[in-house]
Amino acid sequence: MRSDDESGFLARTIAAEDGLKLHVRDYAGDETITKARTPVFCLPGLTRNSRDFHQLALLLSQDPAAPRRVITLDARGRGASEWDKDKSRYNLIVEGQDVLTVCAALGIHQAIFIGTSRGGLVLHMLAASRRDILKAVILNDIGPVLEKIGLADIRGYLNRDKKPANWDEAIEILRENHGGAFGALDEEDWQDMARAIYAFRDGKPVADYDPAIAAQMQALDLEAPIPDLWPQFQAFQDIPLMVIRGENSKLLTQITTDEMARRHPEMVIKIARGQGHAPILHLGDVPDAIRHFISEF
C-alpha cells in the first residue's frame, strides 16, 4: 500500500489543553472486532508526521487474523496539526501531555505505544509520569543515550535544508541525506519516504513541519554534555518492551541497546537490516516482528 493512498482511516481534530488543534489518523477498522484488542498508538520523530506509519497502520488494522485499532498522531507543529505560536512549547513534556489529551478524547485508557526517535523520548517521559497508560512499548531506534555522531547527522541535513522544486528533487535530496544508511530501500520506498516527509503546497513539495522545530536542533551545542534518560528508562522495568534498531543507526548504538537489555532482561530486540535512523516499520521482516510482539496484548 503506497503512502499516498489516503484511505483506511478517519481524520480527526482534537484540541490540546492550550487549544492548539492536533491532527490524528484513526485506523479503527471493524470496531466490533478491534475493540476487543489493545489499540496501537504511534508517535513520529522530530520533524516527521503520522504518514510515516500509514502502511504499518493499514497492516495492523486490517490484519486478517488479529486486526486492531491504530492511532497515528501529528505532533504539534508537524503534518496537519497547528503550528504553535509559542515555540518553547515544542518540548517533550508538552508533547507528552498532548498524547494524554488525545487518549482521553478517544476513550483510550491503555495502548501499545510505538515511538520513533523523538516519539520514543516522549514515551520515556510518559513511563516516568503515566506508566499506567502504557500496556506495552516499542521504541524505534531510540533509547536513553543519544550519540553525538547521530545528532550531528540529523543537524547536518537540517542545516542543509535544500528546497526541492519537484518530487524528483525531493527524492534526490532524501537519497543524498540517507542513501548510505538505507541500502534496503528500493525506488518505490524512496518515493514513499518523500510523500511521507513532504507536503505539496503552492505547486511544489515542502517539508511538513514548523521550521522552528528544526531550528532547535540546528542550535544544539554538541560540545556540551548530552544528558541521558536512564532514570526514565528504569520506569519501563515492568512494561513489556521492544526495541527496533536500524542496523546502520548512528543515534542508537549496539552498546546502548545491550545495556538497555541488561537493565530490562525481558526486552525484545529487533535489528532492521539495511536501514539507518530511523527504520521504516513496514519494510522487510519488521512488521512480522511487531505483530508477534503485540499479539499477546
Side-chain angles (χ1 to χ4, degrees):
M1 185 66 66
R2 296 290 297 272
S3 63
D4 56 343
D5 181 349
E6 297 291 295
S7 63
F9 64 90
L10 177 65
R12 298 182 181 275
T13 300
I14 295 171
E17 279 195 335
D18 58 3
L20 184 139
K21 294 178 182 177
L22 300 168
H23 178 262
V24 174
R25 289 184 171 196
D26 188 350
Y27 300 77
D30 184 345
E31 295 183 47
T32 61
I33 300 174
T34 59
K35 68 179 182 180
R37 297 187 179 90
T38 307
V40 174
F41 197 122
C42 302
L43 306 178
L46 176 67
T47 58
R48 306 293 279 265
N49 59 75
S50 62
R51 296 193 298 276
D52 274 345
F53 299 103
H54 180 61
Q55 291 96 323
L56 178 69
L58 290 176
L59 288 172
L60 298 180
S61 63
Q62 300 176 9
D63 188 310
R68 63 179 74 225
R69 185 184 191 186
V70 181
I71 305 297
T72 65
L73 172 66
D74 287 344
R76 61 178 58 217
R78 291 86 161 178
S81 289
E82 286 187 330
W83 293 8
D84 200 325
K85 294 179 181 178
D86 180 356
K87 308 307 179 182
S88 70
R89 293 180 64 78
Y90 293 133
N91 65 66
L92 299 179
I93 301 302
V94 172
E95 290 166 27
Q97 182 55 53
D98 287 346
V99 172
L100 297 177
T101 298
V102 170
C103 285
L106 297 180
I108 295 173
H109 305 292
Q110 202 171 47
I112 301 162
F113 284 87
I114 301 176
T116 293
S117 195
R118 184 183 180 91
L121 297 180
V122 171
L123 293 179
H124 278 72
M125 301 296 105
L126 290 179
S129 62
R130 279 294 307 276
R131 60 187 303 177
D132 59 291
I133 204 167
L134 307 176
K135 181 71 171 181
V137 168
I138 299 175
L139 299 176
N140 183 21
D141 212 61
I142 196 69
V145 176
L146 304 179
E147 298 297 328
K148 288 187 176 182
I149 187 172
L151 293 172
D153 266 4
I154 296 170
R155 189 180 67 176
Y157 66 72
L158 290 176
N159 278 336
R160 287 191 290 273
D161 191 27
K162 291 187 175 181
K163 304 290 195 300
N166 52 54
W167 284 117
D168 288 340
E169 288 188 11
I171 293 168
E172 242 353 270
I173 290 170
L174 293 178
R175 286 185 189 276
E176 180 183 325
N177 289 336
H178 308 293
F182 283 86
L185 274 61
D186 62 21
E187 182 59 33
E188 186 171 303
D189 297 327
W190 287 109
Q191 293 175 17
D192 280 348
M193 182 188 285
R195 290 187 178 92
I197 292 175
Y198 293 96
F200 201 69
R201 299 193 186 105
D202 300 324
K204 60 184 179 182
V206 294
D208 205 8
Y209 57 85
D210 184 342
I213 295 169
Q216 291 180 345
M217 175 60 74
Q218 290 164 332
L220 183 66
D221 180 8
L222 293 180
E223 299 303 316
I226 305 295
D228 66 56
L229 295 178
W230 285 118
Q232 290 81 2
F233 179 81
Q234 287 303 118
F236 289 122
Q237 194 61 43
D238 299 320
I239 299 170
L241 180 64
M242 177 181 185
V243 171
I244 298 169
R245 178 179 178 270
E247 181 181 27
N248 303 319
S249 176
K250 295 179 182 179
L251 191 69
L252 177 64
T253 65
Q254 189 62 52
I255 292 173
T256 297
T257 305
D258 290 342
E259 179 61 18
M260 293 164 71
R262 188 188 71 79
R263 299 188 187 209
H264 193 309
E266 302 301 315
M267 186 180 87
V268 175
I269 300 173
K270 174 62 186 172
I271 303 299
R273 301 296 175 189
Q275 298 203 59
H277 180 80
I280 298 171
L281 299 180
H282 62 269
L283 296 184
D285 59 357
V286 175
D288 287 338
I290 291 173
R291 278 188 287 225
H292 179 73
F293 175 74
I294 69 176
S295 61
E296 62 182 284
F297 309 116

